[in-house]
């Protein structure tokens, strides 16, 4: 009993010390009021919703860091990243929804912060909301698009991002293929890498690695957040009041947040997340309907799939998990190849080059089952019987062809100038079946994953 009493006292003392250590952290936060004069807001749901906005602020970055991490040029004072973070009511789950910065948005009526000019409601890209109306207009626009009431606003710039990563001791990232972006200077070979703050910034900013552009960047940002959670939980940051204060001080020293985001919220989250692990987090990109929706005077925008997005945000409002439940008795998973280009974006026409009746239909069905956009009308190839399966493609779609060839082991790649965007598969007698493939940056609707699925094994 004496030992139990002593232990209880120790726990209480530690709790008191913890509160003392985090008290006052909020004094370093720059305050904004993104909810001022807001009317007709969505009805509050369950849990807590935080709008996290990443900007390109770089005022306190050294000249050496600017050169090393390709951070030259003047900041545009716009949003590089927009994420809706939902913390479940029981504080046992965090859902992160990435909103493409080029999303088509209907901006509410507002006054431009820069010019003072009043604007009626009009279509824009999502990141224009911050440029024209700052945090307030950004919150109004996101609430209008999602129907989710925002409880807190957190704005992070380049400086706070880099310093926070360094404060936790760096983050481990795994990649199955090389990642190279000449614009940010990112250059990672396949394998596992320990990234410091500057390298991590290159990783989450890169959008010129492949044709996935912003969609690929969003998925890398999600992978990074999962890895950061793993580092904070495995490294004991959440359990160590001193380390927690160090990391929190670093992060909050150069962020902007709403008036109600302070010590009490930090302490409550820290306590609630003591049992938090990467598996407690889940990540998803908002469902996309059209990657190149044209808008006069604006250009190409990303149009959401309205029906699927509504279901996604309804789940958020109702505090339901976004990732599918894990099987209690996991079956042996089939081998899946990782490809650069999402199968759903690859259009395929199948030709049966053999004398086996129905083989064309069989291959078409198998390719569609693994995600390829087949025509569903397989045809018979002219001429002699083919011994080898061939993928014919226009050189401009060479990366799509490689993704398709990965699903057809042993297939020959054959470039045909002028073939166009539809790839052609001529099935030969060597056909052995279709291998399942997935894209590292697919951006497919509702492909929610938990953090433990994307961190390094």
């Amino acid at each position: 009993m004496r030992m139990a009493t002593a232990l209880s006292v120790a726990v209480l003392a530690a709790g008191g010390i913890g509160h003392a250590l985090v008290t006052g952290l909020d004094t370093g936060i720059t305050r904004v009021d993104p909810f001022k004069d807001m009317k007709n807001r969505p009805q509050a749901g369950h849990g807590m919703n935080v709008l996290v906005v990443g900007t390109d602020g770089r005022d306190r970055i050294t000249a050496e860091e600017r050169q090393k991490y390709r951070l030259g040029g003047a900041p545009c004072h716009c949003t590089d990243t927009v994420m809706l973070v939902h913390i479940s009511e029981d504080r046992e789950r965090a859902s992160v929804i990435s909103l493409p910065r080029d999303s088509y948005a209907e901006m509410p009526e507002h006054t431009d912060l820069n010019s003072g000019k009043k604007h009626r409601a009009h279509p824009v890209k999502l990141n224009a909301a911050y440029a024209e109306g700052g945090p307030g207009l950004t919150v109004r626009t996101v609430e209008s698009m999602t129907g989710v009431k925002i409880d807190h606003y957190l704005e992070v710039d380049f400086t706070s991002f880099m310093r926070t990563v360094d404060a936790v001791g760096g983050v481990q990232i795994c990649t199955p293929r090389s990642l190279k972006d000449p614009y940010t200077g990112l250059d990672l070979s396949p394998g596992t890498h320990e990234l410091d703050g500057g390298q991590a910034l290159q990783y989450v900013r890169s959008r010129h690695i492949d044709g996935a552009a912003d969609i690929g960047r969003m998925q890398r940002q999600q992978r990074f957040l999962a890895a950061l959670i793993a580092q904070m939980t495995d490294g004991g940051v959440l359990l160590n009041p001193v380390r927690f204060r160090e990391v929190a001080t670093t992060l909050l020293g150069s962020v902007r947040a709403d008036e109600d985001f302070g010590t009490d919220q930090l302490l409550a989250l820290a306590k609630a997340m003591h049992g938090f692990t990467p598996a407690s987090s889940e990540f998803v990109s908002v469902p996309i309907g059209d990657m190149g929706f044209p808008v006069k005077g604006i250009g190409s925008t990303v149009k959401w799939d309205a029906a699927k997005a509504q279901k996604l945000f309804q789940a958020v409002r109702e505090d339901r998990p976004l990732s599918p439940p894990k099987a209690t008795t996991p079956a042996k998973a089939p081998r899946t190849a990782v490809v650069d280009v999402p199968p759903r974006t690859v259009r395929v026409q199948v030709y049966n080059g053999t004398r086996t009746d129905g083989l064309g239909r069989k291959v078409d069905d198998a390719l569609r089952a693994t995600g390829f956009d087949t025509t569903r009308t397989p045809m018979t190839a002219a001429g002699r019987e083919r011994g080898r399966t061939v993928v014919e493609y226009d050189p401009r779609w060479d990366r799509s062809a490689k993704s398709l060839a990965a699903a057809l082991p042993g297939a020959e790649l054959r470039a045909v100038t002028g073939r166009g965007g539809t790839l052609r598969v001529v099935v030969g007698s060597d056909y052995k079946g279709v291998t399942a493939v997935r894209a590292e940056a697919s951006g497919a609707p509702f492909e929610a994953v938990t953090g433990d699925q994307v961190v390094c094994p």
Side-chain angles (χ1 to χ4, degrees):
M1 184 178 293
R2 286 194 297 271
M3 291 178 63
T5 302
L7 181 59
S8 298
V9 171
V11 170
L12 290 173
I17 294 172
H19 192 282
L21 282 168
V22 299
T23 297
L25 281 176
D26 53 353
T27 58
I29 302 176
T30 301
R31 296 297 180 181
V32 294
D33 187 2
F35 309 116
K36 184 179 180 181
D37 300 328
M38 288 187 65
K39 301 176 181 178
N40 302 318
R41 301 185 66 191
Q43 184 177 355
H46 302 283
M48 181 173 71
N49 300 308
V50 183
L51 184 63
V52 180
V53 172
T55 69
D56 68 339
R58 60 195 81 179
D59 297 340
R60 285 175 284 182
I61 292 178
T62 66
E64 182 182 358
E65 289 172 328
R66 285 174 181 263
Q67 182 177 8
K68 183 177 181 180
Y69 301 119
R70 311 283 179 91
L71 297 172
C76 67
H77 302 293
C78 56
T79 53
D80 257 3
T81 302
V82 182
M83 290 181 173
L84 177 60
V85 180
H86 174 79
I87 308 295
S88 63
E89 194 163 30
D90 60 12
R91 298 297 191 262
E92 293 185 356
R93 185 184 71 258
S95 305
V96 181
I97 301 100
S98 297
L99 311 180
R101 66 176 190 173
D102 291 336
S103 295
Y104 173 86
E106 293 285 347
M107 189 177 293
E109 183 178 289
H110 67 282
T111 299
D112 193 308
L113 288 182
N114 301 309
S115 65
K117 183 179 178 181
K118 292 187 176 181
H119 294 283
R120 295 180 178 179
H122 61 283
V124 292
K125 292 182 179 181
L126 177 57
N127 67 342
Y130 186 90
E132 291 188 25
L137 186 58
T138 302
V139 170
R140 289 177 61 197
T141 303
V142 171
E143 286 193 345
S144 175
M145 297 172 72
T146 64
V148 174
K149 185 176 183 180
I150 305 300
D151 300 303
H152 294 291
Y153 174 88
L154 188 64
E155 183 180 308
V156 184
D157 64 10
F158 287 175
T159 304
S160 58
F161 179 88
M162 292 173 64
R163 302 295 181 257
T164 300
V165 173
D166 288 335
V168 301
V171 172
Q172 187 180 79
I173 290 294
C174 298
T175 175
R177 59 189 178 85
S178 61
L179 300 177
K180 184 175 291 188
D181 186 340
Y183 291 85
T184 64
L186 179 71
D187 189 0
L188 298 180
S189 58
T192 302
H193 301 269
E194 295 285 345
L195 305 186
D196 61 22
Q199 294 168 323
L201 185 60
Q202 290 175 311
Y203 181 79
V204 300
R205 289 184 63 220
S206 292
R207 60 192 297 265
H208 298 281
I209 291 175
D210 49 40
D214 267 342
I215 303 300
R217 179 171 69 167
M218 286 193 305
Q219 187 156 356
R220 283 185 290 278
Q221 290 171 350
Q222 293 170 353
R223 285 177 176 272
F224 176 82
L225 284 177
L228 180 61
I229 290 171
Q231 175 67 12
M232 293 184 71
T233 53
D234 295 343
V237 174
L238 296 176
L239 292 172
N240 186 324
V242 177
R243 292 229 36 218
F244 176 75
R245 180 179 177 84
E246 177 188 353
V247 173
T249 300
T250 303
L251 171 64
L252 300 179
S254 54
V255 306
R256 301 207 300 169
D258 62 275
E259 292 287 346
D260 294 328
F261 187 87
T263 297
D264 290 341
Q265 285 69 35
L266 284 171
L267 188 62
L269 285 175
K271 286 182 177 180
M273 293 172 66
H274 273 183
F276 213 73
T277 68
S280 307
S281 60
E282 54 184 6
F283 302 88
V284 65
S285 299
V286 70
I288 304 300
D290 189 343
M291 287 293 298
F293 182 70
V295 179
K296 186 177 181 181
I298 299 175
S300 180
T301 67
V302 176
K303 187 73 175 289
W304 296 0
D305 184 310
K308 293 179 180 178
Q310 183 178 5
K311 291 180 180 178
L312 170 64
F313 295 117
Q314 182 177 348
V316 172
R317 290 190 295 271
E318 296 175 356
D319 198 21
R320 291 188 281 112
L322 306 180
S323 54
K326 295 183 179 179
T328 54
T329 55
K332 185 177 180 180
R335 187 173 68 88
T336 302
V338 177
V339 296
D340 286 350
V341 179
R344 65 185 178 86
T345 66
V346 181
R347 184 70 169 170
V348 182
Q349 173 64 59
V350 175
Y351 287 82
N352 185 358
T354 75
R355 295 174 183 173
T356 304
D357 292 339
L359 183 58
R361 168 59 61 190
K362 180 180 179 181
V363 175
D364 187 285
D365 290 344
L367 288 173
R368 174 163 288 274
T370 197
F372 288 97
D373 181 21
T374 63
T375 64
R376 299 190 184 186
T377 54
M379 304 175 71
T380 301
R384 59 180 177 80
E385 184 175 13
R386 314 298 169 86
R388 186 176 182 184
T389 300
V390 175
V391 174
E392 297 180 355
Y393 66 97
D394 190 303
R396 293 177 297 171
W397 278 269
D398 60 326
R399 293 177 57 254
S400 295
K402 291 177 182 177
S403 292
L404 178 57
L408 296 164
E412 175 188 344
L413 280 169
R414 184 177 298 169
V416 180
T417 303
R419 175 67 70 196
T422 299
L423 279 62
R424 177 183 294 185
V425 173
V426 182
V427 185
S429 57
D430 66 339
Y431 172 75
K432 301 296 183 183
V434 168
T435 296
V437 299
R438 63 177 177 83
E440 182 185 13
S442 67
F446 286 98
E447 284 190 0
V449 296
T450 52
D452 58 318
Q453 294 175 299
V454 294
V455 294
C456 297

